Amino acid sequence: MDDVFKALADASRRRLLDSLDERDGQTLRELCAGLSMARQSVSKHLAVLEAANLVTTMRRGREKLHFLNAEPIQAISERWISRYDRDRVLALADLKTALEEDTVEPFVYTTYIRTTPDRLWQALTDPAFTARYWGVTFESDWKPGASMTWTENGNTILDAEQVVLESDAGRRLSYTWHTFTPQWAAAAGVADDLLAKLRDEPRSRVTFDLEPAGDTVKLTVTHDRFDPDSTLRTMISQGWPALLSSLKTLLETGEPLAG
């Protein structure tokens, strides 16, 4: 957390975070233009923010895109918010909320888990694992193009478009998101009008990138392919941080987060 607080202490770095809050997924050139800062200065500040895990990046062709990462802010919230009056840390709470706001850009979230790539891969694919921290189980052979059967709250979701897109054990996993059925909506407490909005949206995609980092594994989750004003984009931006925190806790302590 020292790196996070040090990174946030600099006004220029806070302006970079503000810029990414306004429009996530910017290139270095776009950040420089928007902040009237020298390219070298912006690069140095971004390096500090990346080292603190406040900014994460992804490649799109030749471009390197920068995204806000909510995980360190959530960790600070979990450790400190309950100890102090919420008004005294309003700035952190506001930043955490901003990180989860709706945007047409992909949702990108990075966390570091003290485990191995093989163990993390098992936690992402093994029904015995996913049931513990997610409440969902999958049936698939995890080969590219293979079908996926989702089971959640006792409801089995079958659809020909629920498929594995990429599968490189211990490194990368990508698949299409599940179909929004009336049975799923009833079990999840989703109203008919919200279900109708979700079913009108294009099918989204989630990708897990696993990268060894010392005695931890860097896990980057990218959820994308959203329409502008996507309802699902808002929902998953609230759900993924809690889900991945539970996954991290399960792998590091043997028990998922309560509730």
Side-chain angles (χ1 to χ4, degrees), residues 13 16 28-29 31-32 37-50 64 66:
R13 290 194 282 272
L16 280 169
L28 175 60
R29 176 180 54 79
L31 287 168
C32 291
M37 295 172 61
R39 184 183 184 92
Q40 185 177 9
S41 297
V42 174
S43 295
K44 289 181 178 180
H45 286 310
L46 285 173
V48 174
L49 292 170
E50 287 189 57
K64 182 179 181 181
H66 299 81

Side-chain angles (χ1 to χ4, degrees), residues 132-198:
R132 294 190 66 192
Y133 69 89
W134 195 337
V136 173
T137 61
F138 304 109
E139 291 181 29
S140 179
D141 63 14
W142 300 110
K143 296 178 181 178
S147 63
M148 292 181 65
T149 300
W150 296 54
T151 301
E152 182 176 5
N153 297 321
N155 294 290
T156 298
I157 307 173
L158 298 169
D159 193 296
E161 294 185 10
Q162 293 172 189
V163 296
V164 178
L165 299 173
E166 297 181 66
S167 182
D168 185 357
R171 295 183 179 181
R172 184 178 177 87
L173 176 65
S174 181
Y175 51 77
T176 57
W177 203 239
H178 71 77
T179 305
F180 300 106
T181 65
Q183 294 78 13
W184 168 84
V190 172
D192 290 343
D193 58 341
L194 178 54
L195 174 61
K197 291 181 180 179
L198 292 171

Side-chain angles (χ1 to χ4, degrees), residues 36-208:
S36 299
M37 295 172 61
R39 184 183 184 92
Q40 185 177 9
S41 297
V42 174
S43 295
K44 289 181 178 180
H45 286 310
L46 285 173
V48 174
L49 292 170
E50 287 189 57
N53 202 24
L54 287 163
V55 168
T56 189
T57 62
M58 65 179 293
R59 288 283 180 180
R60 180 179 297 169
R62 295 184 177 180
E63 294 184 325
K64 182 179 181 181
L65 305 182
H66 299 81
F67 298 85
L68 284 170
N69 182 38
E71 196 273 339
I73 302 300
Q74 182 172 343
I76 291 173
S77 175
E78 290 174 351
R79 178 170 180 178
W80 298 105
I81 297 299
S82 61
R83 299 187 185 184
Y84 299 100
D85 184 83
R86 189 171 298 270
D87 290 340
R88 296 180 183 178
V89 286
L90 184 59
L92 288 177
D94 286 345
L95 179 56
K96 181 175 183 294
T97 299
L99 293 174
E100 298 176 351
E101 287 181 348
D102 182 28
T103 174
V104 70
E105 293 291 342
F107 175 84
V108 182
Y109 190 99
T110 299
T111 187
Y112 290 80
I113 303 176
R114 190 171 291 104
T115 188
T116 65
D118 289 343
R119 185 69 168 168
L120 181 51
W121 179 268
Q122 183 182 13
L124 294 172
T125 58
D126 187 337
F129 259 106
T130 59
R132 294 190 66 192
Y133 69 89
W134 195 337
V136 173
T137 61
F138 304 109
E139 291 181 29
S140 179
D141 63 14
W142 300 110
K143 296 178 181 178
S147 63
M148 292 181 65
T149 300
W150 296 54
T151 301
E152 182 176 5
N153 297 321
N155 294 290
T156 298
I157 307 173
L158 298 169
D159 193 296
E161 294 185 10
Q162 293 172 189
V163 296
V164 178
L165 299 173
E166 297 181 66
S167 182
D168 185 357
R171 295 183 179 181
R172 184 178 177 87
L173 176 65
S174 181
Y175 51 77
T176 57
W177 203 239
H178 71 77
T179 305
F180 300 106
T181 65
Q183 294 78 13
W184 168 84
V190 172
D192 290 343
D193 58 341
L194 178 54
L195 174 61
K197 291 181 180 179
L198 292 171
R199 299 185 75 173
D200 283 342
E201 295 185 12
R203 190 178 299 273
S204 62
R205 172 184 65 180
V206 63
T207 302
F208 304 88

